[in-house]
Amino acid sequence: MEVMEVQEQNNKVVSVGSWIGTLILLVIPIINFVFLFIWAFSSDTPVSKKNFAKATLILSAIGFFLGIILFTLIGLLIPEDAFTQGILYFL
């Protein structure tokens, strides 16, 4: 009986107000990742919000690693002496 109640709770439709609250919480740094992990891996989160949280975490990880790669490649393109001579001296 308890399993049926959890399944019914997870299949609930998430209201527009709940989505607005979700999006507002995702704007706050650090707290957004805490809530994303809670929503993604909690057993009592509705399925739609759970899938949204998992997709957001995956896209965030992809963006983070692409940013690291891009930052590294751009850093490798700058000549070593550019920091002591020339336009990048102020860095």
Side-chain angles (χ1 to χ4, degrees):
M1 184 71 173
E2 207 173 287
V3 173
M4 293 294 282
E5 291 174 9
V6 171
Q7 286 178 345
E8 287 178 15
Q9 181 181 2
N10 288 347
N11 290 329
K12 281 186 179 178
V13 175
V14 181
S15 68
V16 173
S18 178
W19 280 116
I20 290 172
T22 299
L23 294 175
I24 289 171
L25 282 174
L26 291 180
V27 174
I28 304 170
I30 299 172
I31 291 178
N32 56 3
F33 283 111
V34 172
F35 275 101
L36 283 173
F37 279 106
I38 291 171
W39 291 328
F41 302 112
S42 176
S43 61
D44 60 345
T45 303
V47 175
S48 59
K49 190 177 276 192
K50 183 178 285 205
N51 289 336
F52 173 77
K54 288 178 184 177
T56 304
L57 285 171
I58 291 169
L59 288 176
S60 297
I62 290 171
F64 176 77
F65 288 115
L66 286 177
I68 294 292
I69 291 170
L70 184 64
F71 185 76
T72 303
L73 289 175
I74 290 173
L76 291 174
L77 291 175
I78 298 174
E80 192 173 318
D81 62 343
F83 290 103
T84 57
Q85 300 171 358
I87 196 165
L88 296 177
Y89 182 69
F90 64 93
L91 295 175

